[in-house]
Amino acid sequence: MISKIAIRYGSAALIVGVVACGAVAQSSDKIPEIIQKVINASKKLNYSGSRTVLLKFGPDQHRHVEFVTKNGPRTRIEFPEEGIFRGQIIVETENERRHYFPNDNQIDVMPPRRDELVGRWLKMGDRGSESQFKIEDGSPIAGFATKVVQIVSPSGFVFLKLWIDPRTGLVLKREFYGRDGSVQASSEFTKVDYQPKFNRGDFVLNIPGAKVITPWDRLARLVGKTGFKNVALSPKDPFRLESSRIQRIGNSTALVQDYVNKDGRVSLIQVNSEIDPDKLRRGGRGEVNTFSWQKGGTYFVLLGNLSEAKLKEMAEKLGG
Amino acid sequence: MTDHDLDERLESPAQSQMREMLKSMPEDTVSMAWRSGLNERIASAVAVKQRRRRFAWVLSPALGLGLAGALAITMLTKAPTSPNLGQPAKPSIESNLVASFRDSMNYTNVTGVGLNPDEVARSRSISAVYDPDEVDFDSL
């Protein structure tokens, strides 16, 4: 998947092909062929496999294993018995994502993520970009030969690398880098079977007796407990509420709502600290668009990879 | 001036009058007791001065060292709180908001349809994210 920075800068206007060492230069006005292959594969590919995910949260480092089964656009993910995610199951279809938490005997229902992620890839072809793609031969991952796609920011900073099986279009490994060049997050398949056996019901998640919680239920609970304002997009809006949470941002406490659709991702943030719209816009540095307003002593912020006009339109729906 | 002139001046009425006046004054001799007392006071004053010199010899460097130490401590303890003295500026809430959004996008580029950082945090105790059931909202 392509990062927000890449999305912002759109298609690769300056693609540096290091032909001499096997790299392939891509045209400047469309998505690299191998990326298009990944997009197509995400709808069609069948496989099962296990992958290791590493996430860094400041000084904390977290690692877990996911068992993935994929049948075209449908995905099932389970977790090892010995880990903290024991018993959790994720099933994502074209229409929804269901996540079972055994400790709470609860299923969270939310919009699928694949649409938004594929949308990010497709957007790359729509906008002028100063980012570069470097594509070259990569080392084998899980026993399969790969091509490595490096996505380079205009300042020359490689922020994302993808190891892709060029035969199938499966992204076997991903790494996201911080400004200092260190890996901030990674995901790597250690085993892949392109001829998996599916069981009936693999892509249906219904647990008898489990509570079904929607993002709206969760938002209502948060608003009720915290005293934040009940301001949200309509459930009928094309942007669907994916999640909501209370988050500490700097010294302030914020209510964060994430909305997604195939056009992108938008966060609506409520905070009681004063927000300077100009500072916010400068902070976005053209990579993240912003819109903010104040009402009744509460500050509202929209952040997204959509145009500012689109964010403004969304703000009007929210009373901004 | 010749000797004759000098004799004449010494024999003048003014000189004679002054001579008579001085002769009439009582003779004031310095007593031995006073002299002894004076010697004791001088000796005592010298001793005090020597003691002060010795103290000053010891105390001056100590005082200097103490002052230098106090200055060093003051500088060490004050320096970090000096505004913008080599310290990076504290990020504003605006830049924190943008960074938080940017991070969530970048992390999901890696996690894809798997667990995202929020879902990981739900099962782990990560301070950046709060689950409503685990939060003491009054303290926020």
Side-chain angles (χ1 to χ4, degrees), chain A residues 11 36 39 80 104 146 181 203 217 219 239 300 311 317-318:
Chain A
S11 68
Q36 186 62 56
I39 294 169
D104 305 326
T146 63
F203 303 101
D217 297 328
L219 177 62
F239 273 86
F300 296 87
L311 292 179
K317 293 183 198 171
L318 294 161

Side-chain angles (χ1 to χ4, degrees), chain A residues 29-165:
Chain A
D29 57 354
K30 64 174 189 176
I31 306 166
E33 195 181 320
I34 195 161
I35 302 285
Q36 186 62 56
K37 188 159 192 172
V38 171
I39 294 169
N40 296 339
S42 74
K43 289 180 264 182
K44 294 177 182 167
L45 204 58
N46 293 342
Y47 66 84
S48 67
S50 57
R51 63 176 187 172
T52 302
V53 179
L54 169 82
L55 299 171
K56 281 188 184 166
F57 299 96
D60 286 337
Q61 187 168 294
H62 165 86
R63 193 185 295 270
H64 71 266
V65 172
E66 297 178 346
F67 301 130
V68 185
T69 306
K70 191 150 168 59
N71 176 212
R74 303 183 299 172
T75 308
R76 181 186 181 93
I77 299 175
E78 293 184 34
F79 302 89
E81 278 302 307
E82 63 273 15
I84 56 170
F85 306 113
R86 180 182 58 248
Q88 290 189 25
I89 303 166
I90 296 168
V91 170
E92 182 163 315
T93 66
E94 297 93 320
N95 301 319
E96 66 178 15
R97 173 187 179 88
R98 294 168 82 89
H99 189 162
Y100 176 62
F101 295 89
N103 293 346
D104 305 326
N105 194 26
Q106 178 178 310
I107 297 173
D108 281 9
V109 181
M110 58 196 98
R113 295 211 177 122
R114 196 192 69 87
D115 275 359
E116 186 231 337
L117 294 166
V118 169
R120 286 191 210 175
W121 290 87
L122 290 169
K123 272 191 171 183
M124 292 175 62
D126 296 340
R127 299 186 185 182
S129 172
E130 293 169 28
S131 294
Q132 300 174 4
F133 295 92
K134 286 183 181 174
I135 303 171
E136 54 193 60
D137 292 331
S139 54
I141 305 291
F144 297 95
T146 63
K147 290 280 184 192
V148 182
V149 178
Q150 294 183 50
I151 302 163
V152 189
S153 75
S155 57
F157 156 57
V158 176
F159 58 90
L160 191 67
K161 276 190 194 175
L162 308 168
W163 283 255
I164 299 166
D165 179 345

Side-chain angles (χ1 to χ4, degrees), chain B residues 3 10 25 32 39 44-46 80 88:
Chain B
D3 290 346
L10 285 172
M25 285 181 73
M32 288 305 289
N39 285 342
S44 156
V46 167

Side-chain angles (χ1 to χ4, degrees), chain A residues 249 254-257 267-271 299-303, chain B residues 97:
Chain A
I249 298 177
L255 170 61
V256 182
Q257 300 171 45
S267 288
L268 167 63
I269 299 164
Q270 261 189 68
V271 66
Y299 290 81
F300 296 87
V301 176
L302 281 171
L303 296 160
Chain B
L97 285 168

